[in-house]
Amino acid sequence: MDPATASRSWIAVASAEHVRRGRAEGFMQVCHGKAAPLRRIRPGDRVAYYSPTERFQGKDRLQSFTAVGIVRDGTPYQFDMGGGFVPFRRDVRWLDGRETPILPLLDRLDFSAGVRNWGYPFRFGLFTVTNRDLDTIAAAMGAVLC
């Protein structure tokens, strides 16, 4: 497979309540609706959502992977959510899987194994991970990547 066209794996960050809405409606948003991060993602790429909290700006600590899926064909598009908020989205085929805590996986993931400050990359809202990491996350969630 040509490396330029090979699918990549991503972790996106959002509260669980926002991820659940995206799962139900078949889309993803990142970085408060910005377009630029979504333009880095290509159809066929794989994405897992990490939710630090249950609710947006909540103090409750969830620290779980809450969705995993495959990006559908198409490009980022805007969607009017009302109240003047018109974020960019991408369509995703979300897979069946259970929400899974990250802590038991930290030593098995390339981006976090042996790293004391494992949460740092999550601050960016979207980052690439190895395909092996995405496979590990999907397996822990009981999701079948195909």
Side-chain angles (χ1 to χ4, degrees), residues 16-101:
E17 69 179 343
H18 286 177
V19 174
R20 290 180 193 127
R21 179 176 180 177
R23 280 186 66 166
E25 297 178 27
F27 70 87
M28 68 179 292
Q29 290 176 196
V30 295
C31 304
H32 305 290
K34 292 180 181 163
L38 290 177
R39 289 187 185 118
R40 295 171 37 209
I41 299 172
R42 302 281 180 247
D45 284 0
R46 305 171 327 152
V47 62
Y49 258 105
Y50 170 77
S51 297
T53 60
E54 183 70 36
R55 288 173 300 288
F56 178 63
Q57 296 183 333
K59 300 295 181 201
D60 56 325
R61 198 178 261 195
L62 184 62
Q63 294 184 318
S64 292
F65 290 106
T66 49
V68 63
I70 300 169
V71 178
R72 293 184 182 274
D73 287 340
T75 59
Y77 59 91
Q78 286 188 286
F79 183 84
D80 189 346
M81 293 185 69
F85 185 47
V86 187
F88 282 85
R89 294 179 170 181
R90 279 202 87 112
D91 291 334
V92 177
R93 180 173 58 92
W94 295 112
L95 306 173
D96 291 332
R98 65 188 164 277
E99 296 183 6
T100 301

